[in-house]
Amino acid sequence: MITPVLLSGGSGTRLWPLSRKSYPKQFTPLIGEETLFQASARRLSGPGFAAPLVLTNSDFRFIVTEQLAAAGIDPGAVLIEPEGKNTAPAVLAAALWLARENPEALMLVAPSDHVVPDAPAFRAAVELGRPAALAGKLVTFGIAPDHAETGYGYLELAECLDGAAPKVMDLLRFVEKPDLARAEAMVASGKHLWNAGIFLFSVAAIIEAFRIHAPDLMEPVAASLDAARPDLGFLRLDPAAWSRVRDISIDYAVMERADNLAVVPYTAGWSDLGGWDAVWRAGERDQNGVATTGHATAIDCTDSLLRSEDARVELVGLGLQNIIAVAMPDAVLVADASRAQDVKRVVAALKAKQARQAESFPRDHRPWGWYESLVLSERFQVKRIVVHPGAALSLQSHHHRAEHWIVVSGTAEVTIGTEVRLVTENQSVYIPLGAVHRMKNPGKVPMVLIEVQTGAYLGEDDIIRYEDDYARG
């Protein structure tokens, strides 16, 4: 059995405004109906695969389990990183965790934000690499390039791809992201693959590689596991030990130094969706090279991407060429397609001016469901709140605001002080300032309500929690 190790803590800033720090691209349905995370988990499930081991951060822990449940996949362990330290510490933590049960187990490390249209072909490539991994090789999967890409690192092979049946090949070296001229030369050579950041190896082999090539990571990562704290089915790595871990990728820490490497070329289609240009290439386009998604209309446009994620925002492009236009309820990006890799500069500029849109998503996801602000003024705010069946908000109170709740779908079980009552569709309830209160969905369908807040301060930090099903402070 191969244990998939899904890395799902990234922020995906190059796909702003759809992907943001508070809700990054892996949890959104960028291509197709499923999210990228769900598609990744499904691709690495079934015969021959154990339950996935997931590494993520505290903010995403409930999103991970909710999306796996929606996909019908039972997770294995979910390890919570106290802070992002790049891929090497995450992979080592997964390996040390798996070593407790079976040091000879195989683990397949994969980012959770890639698009692989042909899942059977990818699983066949994994099977092709299995014997090499069992023999102690560190197997990486390289993507046969279909264009000169400057946003990826490359793998240089010991021999040219000859178009014959796929086979495990020797790797000469890793190549950093090149400029365009160098990328064109490497693609023309027939000896280079894109580095997909997907790896297959035995637990024992990768731990030994860390001992040899990155020994300084061993002690703090092991200590973070030894002192890890269970939390509602998750395992929180110890923050004190984790803070001593070096921030480094597995490529730099191990793969570029190891001499027991092997490569499986993969030719059946892949994208890391590392920018809006990649989304344009991966999606469906009309005869003019135009991709439209959601509430978007293109008139006399060529080679462009138009995408609106909100029914209230109708995006129309007229006479556009090589343009990316992405509209969200609270932000719009318009960019030349050749500048797709520079979108992260947009995020940096917005952060510098302290714009909320830089990192925060208009829809805030919580363990119990989600909410979004519909209207925000100086002394009042209107929110839409959706609570999952059986879920409950914390028992709480506020210093500065009162609340009016109007149920528009489903049934709410409302606690105010010592009184508990059911509030059904078209009914409302008033929560006085300072009152201890709670909301629960006792039904089997999502409950939707409109919340009107009034008061001198409406910030999310005006909350005192007395009880919480999700162990939040």
Side-chain angles (χ1 to χ4, degrees):
M1 299 284 283
I2 295 174
T3 298
V5 177
L6 297 177
L7 308 179
S8 57
S11 58
T13 56
R14 285 179 292 179
L15 289 181
W16 185 91
L18 179 62
S19 176
R20 307 185 199 181
K21 182 179 180 181
S22 68
Y23 202 75
K25 66 176 181 175
Q26 60 264 33
F27 302 122
T28 61
L30 266 166
I31 303 291
E33 298 297 321
E34 286 190 315
T35 69
L36 300 178
F37 175 75
Q38 289 172 316
S40 297
R42 191 181 300 281
R43 183 165 58 249
L44 305 178
S45 62
F49 290 98
L53 170 62
V54 180
L55 285 105
T56 189
N57 62 44
S58 184
D59 291 340
F60 304 152
R61 65 194 190 280
F62 293 106
I63 299 173
V64 162
T65 53
E66 179 183 319
Q67 292 203 354
L68 286 176
I73 297 172
D74 292 328
V78 178
L79 305 186
I80 308 300
E81 297 176 82
E83 57 181 311
K85 291 287 190 175
N86 217 315
T87 54
V91 171
L92 179 56
L96 292 174
W97 171 257
L98 292 171
R100 295 177 174 183
E101 292 189 3
N102 183 5
E104 300 304 318
L106 294 182
M107 54 188 288
L108 178 67
V109 177
S112 61
D113 56 0
H114 291 183
V115 170
V116 181
D118 193 339
F122 182 78
R123 287 192 285 266
V126 172
E127 283 302 311
L128 185 62
R130 183 195 290 263
L134 288 171
K137 293 282 190 178
L138 307 181
V139 180
T140 184
F141 295 84
I143 310 301
D146 57 11
H147 65 280
E149 175 60 60
T150 60
Y152 302 150
Y154 285 72
L155 307 172
E156 184 176 351
L157 303 174
E159 57 184 298
C160 289
L161 292 169
D162 56 10
K167 62 180 180 179
V168 179
M169 304 179 72
D170 292 330
L171 173 64
L172 284 184
R173 65 188 181 102
F174 286 73
V175 181
E176 293 293 327
K177 295 177 182 179
D179 59 24
L180 182 59
R182 177 67 175 139
E184 290 173 341
M186 288 192 294
V187 171
S189 74
K191 295 180 63 176
H192 292 83
L193 304 170
W194 290 335
N195 180 9
I198 303 172
F199 307 100
L200 176 67
F201 29 63
S202 72
V203 169
I206 191 61
I207 291 176
E208 181 62 18
F210 272 101
R211 285 197 180 104
I212 295 172
H213 304 294
D216 64 297
L217 295 178
M218 293 295 298
E219 186 277 328
V221 173
S224 71
L225 267 174
D226 291 340
R229 177 172 59 88
D231 178 11
L232 296 175
F234 307 104
L235 187 69
R236 289 183 177 272
L237 300 176
D238 179 68
W242 195 255
S243 68
R244 296 187 282 111
V245 172
R246 180 163 48 118
D247 185 325
I248 187 171
S249 72
I250 189 171
D251 284 357
Y252 286 143
V254 173
M255 305 303 288
E256 294 186 4
R257 304 168 183 270
D259 58 5
N260 57 334
L261 300 176
V263 185
V264 176
Y266 182 72
T267 61
W270 168 92
S271 174
D272 74 339
L273 297 185
W276 283 114
D277 54 340
V279 175
W280 174 78
R281 281 191 294 268
E284 294 184 1
R285 304 185 294 275
D286 66 14
Q287 67 274 16
N288 297 314
V290 176
T292 57
T293 304
H295 302 270
T297 302
I299 302 171
D300 296 335
C301 297
T302 57
D303 298 330
S304 296
L305 182 148
L306 283 74
R307 186 178 186 120
S308 174
E309 298 294 323
D310 194 298
R312 298 166 292 182
V313 180
E314 190 67 31
L315 177 65
V316 181
L318 175 62
L320 302 179
Q321 184 175 3
N322 297 319
I323 292 295
I324 293 166
V326 182
M328 297 289 290
D330 62 338
V332 177
L333 170 71
V334 181
D336 189 286
S338 66
R339 303 292 298 275
Q341 294 299 314
D342 292 332
V343 171
K344 57 187 176 182
R345 292 176 56 187
V346 174
V347 178
L350 291 176
K351 288 175 66 176
K353 64 186 292 187
Q354 298 183 329
R356 181 182 184 275
Q357 291 90 334
E359 296 185 335
S360 297
F361 208 67
R363 180 173 291 183
D364 284 276
H365 291 261
R366 293 291 186 266
W368 43 261
W370 57 267
Y371 73 85
E372 61 182 342
S373 181
L374 304 177
V375 179
L376 177 60
S377 190
E378 186 176 349
R379 291 187 61 88
F380 75 90
Q381 180 172 205
V382 181
K383 288 182 176 180
R384 172 167 55 175
I385 299 176
V386 177
V387 183
H388 298 316
L393 281 68
S394 60
L395 185 67
Q396 58 185 252
S397 66
H398 310 292
H399 286 303
H400 301 288
R401 70 176 185 254
E403 297 173 344
H404 301 255
W405 294 346
I406 304 98
V407 176
V408 295
S409 178
T411 299
E413 180 186 288
V414 177
T415 300
I416 305 176
T418 59
E419 179 188 3
V420 180
R421 58 172 160 150
L422 295 178
V423 181
T424 58
E425 291 182 14
N426 298 318
Q427 293 183 332
S428 63
V429 63
Y430 172 63
I431 314 296
L433 185 150
V436 176
H437 60 281
R438 170 174 245 165
M439 176 201 314
K440 181 179 180 179
N441 180 0
K444 298 186 180 299
V445 297
M447 184 267 290
V448 183
L449 63 81
I450 300 299
E451 177 183 82
V452 180
Q453 302 176 352
T454 58
Y457 179 73
L458 306 173
E460 287 300 314
D461 55 346
D462 178 23
I463 181 171
I464 303 170
R465 287 194 177 99
Y466 304 97
E467 296 177 10
D468 184 48
D469 292 346
Y470 311 105
R472 296 170 296 172

